[in-house]
Amino acid sequence: MKDDSSDVIQIASRESLSANPGPCVDLPEENDDNYFASQSQLVWRKFKSHRLALFGVGVLVIIYLGAIFAEFVAPYDPHIFDSRYVTAPPQIPHFIGEDGFSLRPFVYGYQGKRDPETFRMRYEIDPSQRLPIRFFVRGDSYKFWGLWETDWHLFGTDEGRIFLFGTDTLGRDVFSRIIYGSRISTSIGLVGVFLSFVLGITLGGISGYYGGIIDNIIQRTIELLRSIPDIPLWMGLAAALPSDWPVIRVYFGITVILSLMGWSGLAREVRGKFFSLREEDFVMSARLVGCSEWRIIAVHMVPSFMSHIIASITLGIPGMILSETSLSFLGLGLRAPAISWGVLLQQAQNLRTVALAPWLFLPGAFVVITVLAFNFVGDGLRDAADPYGR
């Protein structure tokens, strides 16, 4: 005869707990949405409450849209120079002029004068030249994404030229060059982190799952890489690239170099997670039902802490962007005619630029904004990765 005494005790204990849960038990209400929400819904709700993270997402969307549609957003070809406007200052859009408020923004033209002492051109704002800013205008011809030729641009003027961020020492539009430079500077972070993600997950997973001599070899390799100072190693590897390589090949070479140096941190994090997970019940169950080791790693273990990996990747992208900018700034990364934020900052290495053309530092402001936006998003993802936390 079956003894139901244990079942009766469990039912009674549940009823007493529901009637008087006590100060240390917080039972969810039936109408609480969080009680029935899935893991992804809880993560999204936690992420939405992080205002700086949402602001960072908005900034990154604008930057990457500008990079994707650079030909359309940039008013001029970044390689075309105009000797009439060498180191011309930025033109600030206005809505209020001498005749009052105007719904259409406009800029004032330049009036160039030759300095009698230094023989350098000085540009002053000429209020008599009022240039309305128009949207969806025709300008320099270009091949959109290299597929079809068109001459439509996001904004421009009917007469004269507009330089929102001024011009460089050759008379090229700085705004257009920054927009084109965002393609390389932002994409190299994504590509580099993706390669680091593959190396870190693979080698870190193997090291943490198998252990033994394989773990020792991988960990000693990581320690060797981390013991070498980053900047001298980057400089040495980047300087080893042939100087006659085309821009695309140098781009991928720099990406591979940054990836080979950026996977070690993620590999150690994955190794630690695998050490704590490989003895869990769900891993033992997968082994008992005959799952292969690669399936256990890829299907069961890695997805269990994917939110942490995503947050780590998001925080790793700014490091890749800063590394590329630093190498290009030092002349060891991408070189002209390639356009990146680091290449543009090469012109701001001397005191003359600081004194006479400070707007050439604007690519550095875009680097700072992009890095801060990624950090905000990474902080939000890190907090949302544990939706059951505080």
Side-chain angles (χ1 to χ4, degrees):
M1 183 174 180
K2 184 179 179 180
D3 185 8
D4 297 334
S5 59
S6 60
D7 296 337
V8 173
I9 293 174
Q10 291 179 1
I11 294 173
S13 62
R14 285 200 198 101
E15 292 178 351
S16 62
L17 182 61
S18 300
N20 185 18
C24 297
V25 180
D26 187 12
L27 295 177
E29 299 180 359
E30 294 184 357
N31 58 356
D32 188 2
D33 293 337
N34 293 331
Y35 182 61
F36 300 99
S38 63
Q39 177 78 6
S40 59
Q41 289 175 334
L42 291 174
V43 171
W44 171 241
R45 291 174 185 176
K46 189 71 174 291
F47 184 78
K48 287 194 302 183
S49 63
H50 201 294
R51 295 185 177 180
L52 282 178
L54 293 179
F55 173 76
V57 169
V59 172
L60 292 178
V61 167
I62 295 174
I63 291 175
Y64 276 94
L65 285 178
I68 294 173
F69 302 99
E71 297 94 346
F72 173 70
V73 176
Y76 306 111
D77 189 316
H79 299 288
I80 294 179
F81 59 90
D82 192 339
S83 59
R84 298 174 301 172
Y85 304 101
V86 176
T87 60
Q91 295 171 296
I92 301 175
H94 298 273
F95 286 91
I96 301 177
E98 297 179 355
D99 54 351
F101 180 78
S102 174
L103 291 176
R104 181 179 297 278
F106 62 92
V107 295
Y108 292 115
Y110 291 123
Q111 185 177 5
K113 294 182 179 180
R114 182 75 63 179
D115 192 322
E117 296 181 358
T118 62
F119 298 101
R120 189 177 68 89
M121 286 295 297
R122 294 186 178 274
Y123 300 92
E124 298 179 356
I125 298 299
D126 186 6
S128 62
Q129 300 182 29
R130 181 167 171 171
L131 306 176
I133 300 176
R134 302 189 182 278
F135 295 93
F136 304 104
V137 299
R138 293 185 178 275
D140 296 337
S141 179
Y142 60 87
K143 270 197 172 183
F144 188 68
W145 293 345
L147 299 177
W148 62 86
E149 189 169 352
T150 181
D151 57 358
W152 285 100
H153 294 267
L154 179 61
F155 67 94
T157 57
D158 294 334
E159 299 178 0
R161 298 175 70 85
I162 177 173
F163 303 115
L164 295 181
F165 291 169
T167 62
D168 61 6
T169 54
L170 296 178
R172 296 171 295 191
D173 181 32
V174 174
F175 178 81
S176 299
R177 293 177 64 78
I178 289 176
I179 296 298
Y180 274 86
S182 64
R183 279 187 166 176
I184 291 181
S185 295
T186 56
S187 64
I188 203 169
L190 295 178
V191 177
V193 166
F194 174 76
L195 296 178
S196 298
F197 168 80
V198 174
L199 290 174
I201 294 294
T202 303
L203 297 179
I206 293 174
S207 178
Y209 186 81
Y210 292 101
I213 187 172
I214 297 178
D215 178 42
N216 286 330
I217 294 175
I218 295 177
Q219 293 309 307
R220 300 297 83 77
T221 303
I222 292 176
E223 291 173 359
L224 176 63
L225 290 176
R226 297 178 71 91
S227 65
I228 303 175
D230 291 339
I231 294 180
L233 181 60
W234 287 335
M235 293 172 62
L237 293 176
L241 296 177
S243 59
D244 58 345
W245 273 14
V247 175
I248 299 298
R249 191 176 298 178
V250 173
Y251 170 79
F252 282 104
I254 296 297
T255 303
V256 171
I257 290 173
L258 297 178
S259 303
L260 291 177
M261 295 303 302
W263 64 272
S264 57
L266 181 60
R268 281 197 164 180
E269 295 179 5
V270 173
R271 172 180 178 267
K273 289 289 184 179
F274 270 52
F275 269 131
S276 62
L277 292 175
R278 65 182 182 179
E279 303 299 333
E280 293 289 337
D281 293 339
F282 70 92
V283 176
M284 299 301 295
S285 300
R287 289 174 179 168
L288 292 176
V289 298
C291 292
S292 63
E293 293 180 342
W294 284 107
R295 179 176 177 83
I296 293 174
I297 293 175
V299 178
H300 298 283
M301 299 182 71
V302 173
S304 64
F305 59 97
M306 184 57 70
S307 56
H308 174 77
I309 294 175
I310 294 175
S312 300
I313 290 174
T314 308
L315 293 173
I317 293 176
M320 292 287 182
I321 295 176
L322 289 174
S323 300
E324 182 277 326
T325 304
S326 302
L327 288 175
S328 299
F329 176 77
L330 295 174
L332 298 172
L334 296 169
R335 307 176 184 89
I339 303 176
S340 72
W341 290 341
V343 174
L344 297 180
L345 285 173
Q346 288 183 6
Q347 298 182 357
Q349 291 183 353
N350 52 66
L351 185 61
R352 179 176 179 273
T353 301
V354 178
L356 303 178
W359 53 87
L360 295 181
F361 285 101
L362 286 174
F366 277 79
V367 174
V368 173
I369 293 172
T370 304
V371 170
L372 287 177
F374 270 115
N375 287 334
F376 291 155
V377 175
D379 290 341
L381 290 175
R382 183 188 58 196
D383 295 341
D386 184 17
Y388 299 101
R390 51 182 177 82

